[in-house]
Amino acid sequence: MQKSMNSDTSVETLNSTRQGTGAVQMRIKNANSHHDRLSQSKSMILTDAGKVIEPISRHRRNHSQHALKDVIPPLEQLMVEKEGYLQKAKIADGGKKLRKNWSTSWIVLSSRKLEFYKESKQQALSNTKTGHKPESVDLCGAHIEWAKEKSSRKNVFQITTVSGNEFLLQSDIDFIILDWFHAIKNAIDRLPKDPSGSSRNLELFKIQRSSSTELLSHYDNDIKEQKPEHRKSLMFRLHHSASDTSDKNRVKSRLKKFITRRPSLKTLQEKGLIKDQIFGSHLHTVCERENSTVPRFVKQCIEAVEKRGLDVDGIYRVSGNLATIQKLRFIVNQEEKLNLDDSQWEDIHVVTGALKMFFRELPEPLFPYSFFERFVEAIKKQDYNTRIETIKTLVQKLPPPNRDTMKILFGHLTKIVAKASKNLMSTQSLGIVFGPTLLRAEDEMGNMAIHMVYQNQIAELMLTEYNKIFGSEED
């Protein structure tokens, strides 16, 4: 009887506790003791917020998941440093070259990555919530550089990631593209240079953990059903599979490191593994190899243009077919016999495009870096005659390959200007085309817009006053 009274009292007390705290009502059957009843009711008590208090798991894997969630902040918490519209083109994916297609993208720069959205910021965020993730670029270990030779557009720079992805970004407004270049470069400089740092280790840990979790869930039922004598061999297979996954990840990591450490073309040329070529070689190197002061390819292109291109509308301004230009470039680099009168080079814009590419790919421009500031100071002089005399003196001080090639090229361009009524190419037009190609600063991250103005003016003056600047020199 005493036990019955105690049982009734405890049930009443439990019911009152449930009503006071909002507990879920349940019936307790076959409770062996007062302690058992209280422990069962306690596990179902709700908090004031209406949430069930979950029991603390003591499983090691659950602890590692909670710890990982606490240590790693979500990507959304990364600070946005800059955002806005730019023209974007992806030209390589994992080292594989892609067709260049320009598109307008809303670009968001955070502390360690770039994100490309197709719409404006508000639309992009709403699409992200519905499962449309933006294209993301990890800046850790990335490389950024100006890339005039990659596009006919102005103000283009390239970002190359450690995974082999390459992007071109462009804007027609000078100060905007400069601001973006500096912002991305500063973000890259703040990140560790070794791409196998903490982020990659974290990614590797996630892969290993998910792989081992899948293996455990896959074999868990089999282990329980197997007889004791078979469990040992099954566990061996489990550990062996997890080891294989780890080995694959390790090999993948080593391959990525090998790719990022590949020697550059310059290094291979210095070691003699790759023969010197026409495109991309120093001007004096090409001239020494040909025993002349003007490259043979430059002379051939000029002769072809003067033979059948002086009257062509937009000569040197209109771009030729890039694939055909690259084919011509390959033939010249292989030192094959070149005949520009061949029918495959009938489009004169291919010839002019190849000539411009030759000058653009010179490691040091036709106007040497050491002369750049002196030419800029000369064009700034107020007196016109003093300006001409100063530039003439500078031209005479240039190395013979630079001076002679410059004389032949500008002499050829004066013949283009003489036919301006037919080809519509004035001195201003040719100055815009050739100024930045022939004359540029070694460090172009400064006043790029101001330099561009001076580059064009110098080229225009040398065309206008060609006879005064080059007339007294010996042929």
Side-chain angles (χ1 to χ4, degrees):
M1 176 136 184
Q2 184 66 27
K3 289 183 178 179
S4 176
M5 290 177 65
N6 290 338
S7 175
D8 295 339
T9 303
S10 61
V11 171
E12 291 176 0
T13 303
L14 179 60
N15 288 335
S16 63
T17 303
R18 290 175 180 172
Q19 294 173 0
T21 60
V24 176
Q25 304 227 351
M26 64 176 292
R27 180 176 297 174
I28 305 172
K29 293 184 179 180
N30 299 326
N32 295 326
S33 66
H34 178 67
H35 174 73
D36 291 338
R37 296 178 188 177
L38 289 178
S39 63
Q40 291 182 31
S41 63
K42 184 177 181 181
S43 65
M44 297 302 296
I45 291 177
L46 296 178
T47 62
D48 293 337
K51 295 183 180 180
V52 178
I53 301 176
E54 298 180 357
I56 299 175
S57 173
R58 304 188 186 281
H59 198 284
R60 186 185 304 170
R61 196 186 325 142
N62 289 338
H63 275 294
S64 65
Q65 292 173 356
H66 290 306
L68 189 64
K69 186 165 58 178
D70 294 336
V71 172
I72 307 163
L75 294 178
E76 289 77 15
Q77 293 181 7
L78 295 175
M79 182 180 297
V80 174
E81 297 185 2
K82 189 173 179 60
E83 53 187 355
Y85 282 110
L86 286 180
Q87 293 294 316
K88 182 209 75 170
K90 188 173 184 179
I91 59 174
D93 185 3
K96 182 180 179 181
K97 296 298 181 182
L98 301 176
R99 185 187 181 99
K100 180 170 59 181
N101 288 318
W102 288 101
S103 61
T104 303
S105 294
W106 178 270
I107 301 178
V108 178
L109 171 64
S110 62
S111 57
R112 66 170 297 130
K113 68 176 182 177
L114 272 179
E115 287 183 327
F116 301 115
Y117 296 90
K118 293 183 180 180
E119 304 92 358
S120 62
K121 183 177 180 181
Q122 291 76 11
Q123 293 174 320
L125 290 176
S126 63
N127 285 340
T128 302
K129 294 178 182 178
T130 58
H132 297 279
K133 293 184 178 180
E135 185 174 12
S136 180
V137 177
D138 188 357
L139 297 178
C140 186
H143 177 67
I144 184 172
E145 61 181 349
W146 293 103
K148 290 184 177 181
E149 71 282 355
K150 296 293 179 71
S151 174
S152 58
R153 300 187 177 200
K154 69 173 186 176
N155 301 341
V156 178
F157 64 80
Q158 176 178 332
I159 299 174
T160 305
T161 68
V162 294
S163 58
N165 294 342
E166 297 178 10
F167 298 87
L168 298 180
L169 298 179
Q170 185 267 345
S171 173
D172 290 332
I173 304 176
D174 297 332
F175 73 89
I176 290 180
I177 199 67
L178 280 172
D179 196 21
W180 270 102
F181 183 91
H182 289 303
I184 297 174
K185 188 176 187 301
N186 291 336
I188 293 174
D189 291 341
R190 288 195 300 268
L191 294 171
K193 301 298 180 184
D194 184 7
S196 60
S198 57
S199 61
R200 179 166 295 186
N201 292 336
L202 175 60
E203 190 175 323
L204 183 61
F205 170 75
K206 289 180 179 178
I207 295 173
Q208 291 175 345
R209 189 188 60 169
S210 62
S211 300
S212 60
T213 303
E214 292 171 3
L215 287 168
L216 284 170
S217 61
H218 179 73
Y219 287 111
D220 187 42
N221 293 331
D222 291 341
I223 293 175
K224 291 179 181 179
E225 295 174 1
Q226 289 288 336
K227 295 179 180 180
E229 57 268 20
H230 296 308
R231 289 183 184 177
K232 188 173 182 179
S233 62
L234 190 59
M235 288 300 295
F236 172 77
R237 281 161 32 202
L238 173 62
H239 290 300
H240 183 68
S241 300
S243 177
D244 286 347
T245 304
S246 178
D247 289 342
K248 289 179 181 178
N249 290 329
R250 194 178 298 111
V251 170
K252 188 184 296 184
S253 176
R254 287 180 179 178
L255 284 173
K256 286 183 178 179
K257 287 182 180 179
F258 172 76
I259 292 173
T260 57
R261 292 174 181 174
R262 286 182 301 177
S264 63
L265 176 61
K266 182 179 179 181
T267 303
L268 294 174
Q269 288 175 342
E270 291 174 352
K271 292 183 178 180
L273 299 176
I274 294 182
K275 192 175 181 180
D276 284 334
Q277 301 176 336
I278 302 298
F279 283 79
S281 296
H282 285 275
L283 182 64
H284 65 84
T285 303
V286 177
C287 291
E288 287 175 5
R289 195 162 62 237
E290 297 178 352
N291 194 25
S292 68
T293 55
V294 180
R296 186 186 307 114
F297 176 68
V298 173
K299 292 179 180 178
Q300 289 177 306
C301 290
I302 289 175
E303 289 173 2
V305 174
E306 292 182 355
K307 183 178 180 180
R308 51 191 173 93
L310 292 179
D311 296 336
V312 175
D313 184 11
I315 190 72
Y316 284 112
R317 176 176 53 80
V318 177
S319 300
N321 183 274
L322 184 57
T324 311
I325 293 173
Q326 292 290 359
K327 182 180 179 181
L328 176 59
R329 180 180 186 270
F330 176 79
I331 291 176
V332 173
N333 277 338
Q334 296 302 312
E335 297 186 357
E336 298 182 16
K337 188 175 181 180
L338 179 64
N339 179 18
L340 291 178
D341 291 329
D342 192 285
S343 59
Q344 61 181 328
W345 319 123
E346 63 181 356
D347 182 5
I348 197 63
H349 297 304
V350 169
V351 178
T352 58
L355 181 60
K356 289 187 292 181
M357 181 180 287
F358 170 80
F359 285 113
R360 194 162 53 239
E361 292 188 2
L362 287 174
E364 187 172 23
L366 187 60
F367 290 74
Y369 289 133
S370 58
F371 282 78
F372 177 78
E373 293 296 338
R374 284 186 272 180
F375 272 100
V376 171
E377 290 300 321
I379 203 67
K380 288 181 180 179
K381 292 187 178 298
Q382 298 296 324
D383 184 69
Y384 186 77
N385 292 327
T386 305
R387 196 182 307 169
I388 296 173
E389 288 300 321
T390 306
I391 288 181
K392 178 180 178 179
T393 302
L394 290 174
V395 168
Q396 292 173 349
K397 292 179 180 179
L398 291 172
N402 300 73
R403 183 184 64 246
D404 293 350
T405 303
M406 194 180 297
K407 180 179 180 180
I408 286 182
L409 176 63
F410 279 99
H412 164 65
L413 295 179
T414 57
K415 297 178 182 179
I416 301 291
V417 174
K419 296 275 189 176
S421 59
K422 294 183 178 180
N423 58 43
L424 305 180
M425 292 299 291
S426 62
T427 55
Q428 289 81 10
S429 301
L430 290 172
I432 293 172
V433 171
F434 281 95
T437 300
L438 304 178
L439 182 73
R440 60 181 183 269
E442 188 169 9
D443 181 10
E444 293 184 287
M445 289 185 239
N447 300 322
M448 189 173 74
I450 298 176
H451 286 168
M452 193 174 295
V453 174
Y454 293 139
Q455 290 163 346
N456 300 348
Q457 289 179 355
I458 292 169
E460 290 176 28
L461 181 66
M462 295 185 72
L463 278 172
T464 305
E465 303 297 341
Y466 173 81
N467 292 329
K468 292 183 180 179
I469 294 174
F470 293 99
S472 61
E473 294 181 355
E474 298 179 0
D475 294 337

